[in-house]
């Protein structure tokens, strides 16, 4: 899973402004988020289809990658350009 996520993150990063967050860290962040959402879905009472949970994950992951705060080289936090 991490290899697939890493490839997607690299592709997204090549189209977006460069960030000081390492691609490997972003890959782990997205993969961890996927597992967390998967556990929520499997243990929850909401009856979402596979297509619905896939869509939800993609919307959440893309929003986080595009708009979340990132650390610059000096360690200060700022909002990513969106």
């Amino acid at each position: 899973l991490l290899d697939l996520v890493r490839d997607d993150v690299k592709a997204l990063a090549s189209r977006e402004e460069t960030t000081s967050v390492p691609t490997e860290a972003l890959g782990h962040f997205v993969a961890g988020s996927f597992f967390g959402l998967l556990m929520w879905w499997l243990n929850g009472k909401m009856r979402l289809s596979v297509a619905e949970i896939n869509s939800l994950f993609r919307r959440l992951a893309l929003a986080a990658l595009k708009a979340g705060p990132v650390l610059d080289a000096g360690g200060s936090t700022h909002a990513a350009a969106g």
Side-chain angles (χ1 to χ4, degrees):
L1 174 65
L2 185 56
D3 289 337
L4 294 172
V5 170
R6 186 183 298 117
D7 291 343
D8 285 347
V9 168
K10 283 181 183 177
L12 179 64
S14 69
R15 293 189 305 250
E16 301 292 326
E17 285 187 25
T18 305
T19 178
S20 60
V21 176
T23 302
E24 190 70 17
L26 289 173
H28 280 273
F29 169 77
V30 172
S33 298
F34 171 76
F35 280 114
L37 189 63
L38 181 64
M39 294 307 296
W40 169 80
W41 179 54
L42 292 173
N43 293 322
K45 295 181 180 171
M46 290 188 68
R47 299 288 182 219
L48 298 174
S49 69
V50 171
E52 290 170 320
I53 201 68
N54 179 50
S55 177
L56 177 60
F57 170 72
R58 289 178 178 277
R59 287 193 325 258
L60 292 170
L62 285 174
L65 289 172
K66 288 184 175 184
V70 295
L71 293 177
D72 64 20
S76 63
T77 303
H78 66 278

